Amino acid sequence: MTIIRQSSLFGIQELYDMEPTQKYESIISAIDLDAIHHAVIKKSRRGAPEELNYAAMIISLFVRYVERIPTIKDLVKRLHDDIAFKLNCEFLVSDSIPSEASYSRLVTKLKESGILVKEQDEVVLQAIEEGFITDDTVAIDATHFEARDQAPPKEEEPKSEPKKRGRKSKEEREQWLKEQAEKEANLPLYEKRIEAQLDAPLDELRAEVPQDPQWGVKKNAEGKNVFWYGYKGHLAVGTSSQYILQSLFSSGNLNDGKAAIPLLKGMEKLPLSTLRYQTMDAGYDYEPIYEQVHQMGQQSVIAYNKRNEGETIGFDKHFAPTCFREHSYRYDSFDAKYETLKYTRPKECIDCPLANESICQKVYKVKITQDLRKYTAPARGSKAWKNLFKRRTAAERVNAYLKEFFQLNNVRYRTGKRAKIHFDMATLIYNASKLAADRINAQLIQQQAA
């Protein structure tokens, strides 16, 4: 059975069942090793010559994720004990086996170069060019994984002085508002409100993401809080192809909603004209996210998160208008030119004595720009909206695959910057495996057609 649910003849599981030589060659060929090798080797002839086979070391790092080898220590031992494995990683028989310290230095060079993020984008662009990514819907979701570091002991905060009771004077309030505005302006980008991200460029959004391990909390299926100390991985996944189109690594305490706009701006730069919908759960129900999706010319399919809001008179829970007898109008269509939702008279109004009166109108139209959060295309509560929202589970499946088969939850590095290398490697190998499987599947289809 394939790991990825798709109507293909050949999937990732079949790829991983191949002989090691073919398997490694198929996956590694999807990655530009020359670019990675150039980023980590010496740029000058001065100094001591490099005796290590860096190209083979890079391949062995990738193979570690393919073969689910848990640690670098186990990888070095496997290279020592298995000559066939060593040759499959393209080491020469005469090459000495790199030490754990040598691999640590290689990871440092990968971290400083930032080449893995560039290669992730290149693999996605290659899959688009070859026609394997033609999605119209993207699912955005986050997953958590624990750090290797132990959580620091909790420090007791000093007791603050009691606040002065009573209303502030006009002068005191003006001074307080001024101080609050200055405090807000000096906050880091990801501690400000989400709307501050709308005008920030993508490079700044990626550079300022907090990456240190922190305590995170989320509710499980039983509604109880689950705590962990570590990180979050934020993914934008094509719901049909199930490629990771964009990814973001952050501290465990970062709000999911604050990672959505960087992912959306990253997708905006992809040459993918088929995208129409962005699906997310209720954790992303923030107005700036709707605005960003609308600026991209796409539609938001985001679960509504009711926040101390009273009942809206004349509308149902999905914000569809209701008739005089409180029957909901039925969603009919969306006019993309005028960005207008069209609702038609409820079916209960057929036998209603008020149908021919001027009290109830036959057609009701609403512009989505009136409130992007409430009015989406297709309309909330409609069958089309529910079918689109179901596609969001693609991101949850990919999150599970990364943890189960690509060692995402097996962080072996300390500090957030080195843990990010682990996240980037896992997502890159996943996409490379998908591309390799799709290429083999395309060849099989051509052979069958011939």
Side-chain angles (χ1 to χ4, degrees):
M1 185 178 71
T2 59
I3 293 177
I4 304 300
R5 291 183 185 177
Q6 56 182 5
S7 56
S8 63
L9 303 173
F10 194 91
I12 292 182
Q13 189 60 59
E14 285 77 11
L15 174 69
Y16 276 40
D17 290 338
M18 293 171 62
E19 291 296 323
T21 304
Q22 296 174 303
K23 175 170 57 178
Y24 301 161
E25 183 180 354
S26 299
I27 295 173
I28 302 302
S29 64
I31 303 171
D32 188 356
L33 284 180
D34 292 337
I36 300 176
H37 184 250
H38 179 72
V40 299
I41 61 172
K42 286 176 57 178
K43 303 299 187 293
S44 172
R45 295 182 179 180
R46 297 181 180 180
E50 292 181 339
E51 299 179 354
L52 297 174
N53 187 342
Y54 269 101
M57 286 179 68
I58 295 168
I59 292 174
S60 64
L61 270 182
F62 289 139
V63 170
R64 179 196 155 212
Y65 288 83
V66 174
E67 294 293 342
R68 303 169 197 168
I69 300 174
T71 64
I72 295 295
K73 182 178 180 179
D74 293 326
L75 174 62
V76 173
K77 186 177 185 301
R78 178 82 177 270
L79 289 169
H80 272 292
D81 298 342
D82 190 344
I83 185 64
F85 179 76
K86 178 181 177 181
L87 295 176
N88 285 333
C89 291
E90 299 193 11
F91 283 100
L92 301 177
V93 176
S94 58
D95 286 337
S96 59
I97 304 299
S99 64
E100 292 179 57
S102 299
Y103 276 106
S104 179
R105 289 190 290 271
L106 174 59
V107 170
T108 300
K109 291 180 179 180
L110 290 172
K111 173 179 70 70
E112 293 172 350
S113 67
I115 187 64
L116 294 181
V117 176
K118 297 177 183 177
E119 283 307 304
Q120 173 83 329
D121 294 338
E122 288 299 320
V123 171
V124 172
L125 291 174
Q126 188 65 33
I128 293 174
E129 183 179 340
E130 295 182 24
F132 298 129
I133 300 179
T134 57
D135 301 85
D136 65 346
T137 307
V138 172
I140 293 179
D141 200 6
T143 187
H144 71 275
F145 50 101
E146 295 185 0
R148 183 167 174 78
D149 307 274
Q150 289 186 347
K154 185 177 181 180
E155 298 180 358
E156 293 186 4
E157 298 181 359
K159 293 183 179 181
S160 58
E161 297 181 1
K163 295 181 180 180
K164 182 181 177 181
R165 300 180 65 180
R167 179 182 293 181
K168 293 182 176 68
S169 65
K170 184 176 180 181
E171 292 77 12
E172 288 178 333
R173 178 168 176 76
E174 290 178 354
Q175 180 64 25
W176 179 80
L177 290 173
K178 185 178 179 181
E179 291 175 356
Q180 290 297 111
E182 291 177 356
K183 183 179 178 181
E184 175 73 17
N186 294 327
L187 286 174
L189 180 58
Y190 282 88
E191 292 183 16
K192 295 180 180 179
R193 295 179 178 274
I194 298 179
E195 47 263 33
Q197 298 179 358
L198 288 171
D199 298 326
L202 178 60
D203 292 340
E204 182 182 353
L205 289 170
R206 286 179 172 175
E208 295 197 19
V209 180
Q211 297 178 352
D212 295 328
Q214 297 291 344
W215 279 105
V217 58
K218 68 177 296 184
K219 290 188 181 296
N220 60 14
E222 299 175 354
K224 297 180 180 179
N225 287 336
V226 177
F227 298 88
W228 78 95
Y229 182 75
Y231 313 101
K232 276 185 179 180
H234 308 268
L235 304 180
V237 177
T239 57
S240 298
S241 66
Q242 297 197 352
Y243 279 86
I244 300 173
L245 303 181
Q246 288 288 305
S247 61
L248 195 70
F249 172 88
S250 75
S251 301
N253 62 348
L254 183 71
N255 183 293
D256 290 355
K258 291 188 176 181
I261 291 179
L263 294 174
L264 291 168
K265 288 192 174 184
M267 280 184 288
E268 197 173 10
K269 297 184 179 297
L270 294 177
L272 195 58
S273 59
T274 56
L275 291 182
R276 294 181 59 194
Y277 305 104
Q278 300 288 340
T279 64
M280 309 171 211
D281 61 27
Y284 298 87
D285 183 31
Y286 295 95
E287 290 184 8
I289 297 176
Y290 291 91
E291 292 179 20
Q292 177 63 37
V293 175
H294 184 257
Q295 290 175 12
M296 295 166 61
Q298 299 172 20
Q299 301 298 332
S300 304
V301 182
I302 305 175
Y304 194 81
N305 188 7
K306 194 172 183 179
R307 304 186 184 97
N308 298 324
E309 301 170 10
E311 184 180 355
T312 306
I313 299 175
F315 297 87
D316 65 9
K317 63 180 181 179
H318 299 300
F319 310 105
T322 56
C323 68
F324 188 77
R325 299 178 67 180
E326 298 187 356
H327 296 300
S328 299
Y329 276 66
R330 292 177 294 175
Y331 169 68
D332 180 82
S333 60
F334 173 68
D335 188 337
K337 181 178 179 181
Y338 297 101
E339 297 185 316
T340 302
L341 298 174
K342 178 182 177 182
Y343 294 89
T344 57
R345 178 179 287 175
K347 60 182 180 180
E348 292 85 358
C349 293
I350 296 176
D351 300 327
C352 179
L354 302 175
N356 298 322
E357 301 292 335
S358 59
I359 297 177
C360 293
Q361 59 191 77
K362 293 182 179 181
V363 177
Y364 198 103
K365 294 185 178 181
V366 182
K367 289 184 70 69
I368 62 171
T369 52
Q370 177 180 323
D371 191 330
L372 291 172
R373 184 166 166 247
K374 293 181 178 179
Y375 301 107
T376 63
R380 290 186 181 276
S382 63
K383 186 176 180 180
W385 189 95
K386 292 177 181 178
N387 289 335
L388 286 170
F389 187 72
K390 288 178 182 178
R391 300 183 188 179
R392 188 189 58 82
T393 57
E396 296 177 352
R397 289 196 294 274
V398 173
N399 284 333
Y401 303 151
L402 289 175
K403 288 184 176 182
E404 184 70 21
F405 302 103
F406 295 90
Q407 303 194 70
L408 180 59
N409 56 352
N410 180 34
V411 178
R412 310 303 299 183
Y413 305 110
R414 298 190 185 278
T415 74
K417 291 183 179 180
R418 293 178 75 84
K420 183 179 183 299
I421 293 296
H422 174 75
F423 174 76
D424 291 338
M425 289 284 284
T427 53
L428 177 58
I429 290 297
Y430 171 83
N431 269 354
S433 299
K434 278 286 296 150
L435 181 55
D438 285 343
R439 284 173 171 173
I440 295 174
N441 189 48
Q443 292 176 359
L444 292 175
I445 292 175
Q446 290 179 355
Q447 292 174 4
Q448 290 179 357

